[in-house]
Amino acid sequence: MILDNRDQKMALEQSQAALTTAKSNISTAEATTTATSKNINSSEAAVATANAQIEAAKVNVWKTSQDLKRYANLVKDHSITEQQYEQALAAKQSADKQLQVLVEQRNQIAQQTTIASSQTAASSQQISVANSVAKQREVDVENAKLNLSYTVILAPEDGYVGKVPTQAGQYLQAGAQLFALVKNDQKWVVANFKETQVDKMVEGQKVKIEIDAFLIKNLKG
């Protein structure tokens, strides 16, 4: 017998949907962690490249500084023109500016690396939380399945249902009898004997059962 199980089916569907969402959150968190990890690797490589460019820029600053000092002495005794000195000064200023730009870029990249590291740590924590939630949702699904199974009442043996005293829509208390079940592998007859006949009956006594044609016809119908 199956009881009204619409609520239990809905609860099972909801718990299964929640489990699907929880598993999707795990995948999202793992994808985010992978992406941020790649960003860290890219940022670290960019920082290394920027540091190399800074070292080269420092060398250029030193060279242009030496050139400017030499040109400053030469312009005093008119060994070079004023224009040549100004070109050396411009080269020194350009080298200083280039070094400054590279340092700022390196600092920005390093900051992005720090942010990416924080994001990776947060994403890893989200994976842990998502896994915990998914496990809870799996428990919810199993519990919903169990509750749904309670709506199916199975008889311990095959048989025929006797009189059913309950009505459709009736609320039942725990332990209440719903109906009687008669095993189908046993034949039995109900007979009403007179009091004067009972004292002639003993246990194990053989009996002969006669069924008239009218009753047989009704049974077949």
Side-chain angles (χ1 to χ4, degrees):
M1 183 175 69
I2 300 178
L3 303 178
D4 186 355
N5 57 10
R6 288 174 293 180
D7 290 343
Q8 286 74 16
K9 284 184 176 180
M10 184 178 299
L12 177 58
E13 290 174 357
Q14 290 175 341
S15 59
Q16 288 174 332
L19 176 58
T20 300
T21 300
K23 290 181 177 180
S24 176
N25 291 339
I26 293 176
S27 299
T28 300
E30 289 176 343
T32 301
T33 301
T34 301
T36 53
S37 296
K38 290 181 178 179
N39 289 339
I40 291 176
N41 294 334
S42 298
S43 297
E44 289 176 345
V47 168
T49 300
N51 284 332
Q53 292 174 340
I54 288 173
E55 293 303 316
K58 287 181 178 179
V59 172
N60 191 38
V61 168
W62 177 83
K63 179 179 180 300
T64 53
S65 296
Q66 297 300 316
D67 290 343
L68 183 61
K69 290 179 180 179
R70 186 172 68 256
Y71 277 50
N73 293 327
L74 293 174
V75 76
K76 289 179 181 179
D77 56 11
H78 304 289
S79 298
I80 60 173
T81 64
E82 188 70 25
Q83 183 180 7
Q84 289 175 311
Y85 172 77
E86 291 175 354
Q87 289 176 345
L89 178 60
K92 170 63 169 60
Q93 292 174 342
S94 177
D96 289 339
K97 183 64 176 179
Q98 179 66 19
L99 176 60
Q100 181 182 357
V101 169
L102 290 173
V103 170
E104 291 176 353
Q105 289 178 345
R106 191 272 313 276
N107 292 341
Q108 291 177 354
I109 296 172
Q111 185 178 6
Q112 292 174 354
T113 304
T114 302
I115 295 174
S117 298
S118 299
Q119 291 175 340
T120 300
S123 298
S124 298
Q125 186 175 5
Q126 288 177 352
I127 293 175
S128 177
V129 173
N131 280 320
S132 298
V133 173
K135 290 181 180 179
Q136 180 59 50
R137 295 296 174 263
E138 289 175 350
V139 173
D140 293 341
V141 169
E142 293 304 316
N143 185 57
K145 288 180 179 179
L146 182 61
N147 289 334
L148 180 59
S149 70
Y150 291 152
T151 63
V152 180
I153 300 176
L154 301 176
E157 298 183 43
D158 294 336
Y160 296 99
V161 174
K163 183 179 179 182
V164 180
T166 56
Q167 302 294 328
Q170 177 181 347
Y171 285 96
L172 301 175
Q173 298 295 329
Q177 181 177 353
L178 301 183
F179 49 79
L181 182 69
V182 182
K183 294 177 63 177
N184 63 359
D185 61 347
Q186 296 179 351
K187 303 297 186 293
W188 53 277
V189 176
V190 176
N192 295 320
F193 296 97
K194 298 179 181 180
E195 293 183 6
T196 57
Q197 296 174 319
V198 174
D199 59 353
K200 298 179 181 180
M201 300 169 55
V202 295
E203 183 177 355
Q205 183 178 354
K206 293 183 178 181
V207 297
K208 182 179 181 181
I209 300 175
E210 295 182 355
I211 303 177
D212 58 27
F214 176 77
L215 180 57
I216 293 175
K217 181 179 180 181
N218 289 338
L219 289 174
K220 290 181 177 180

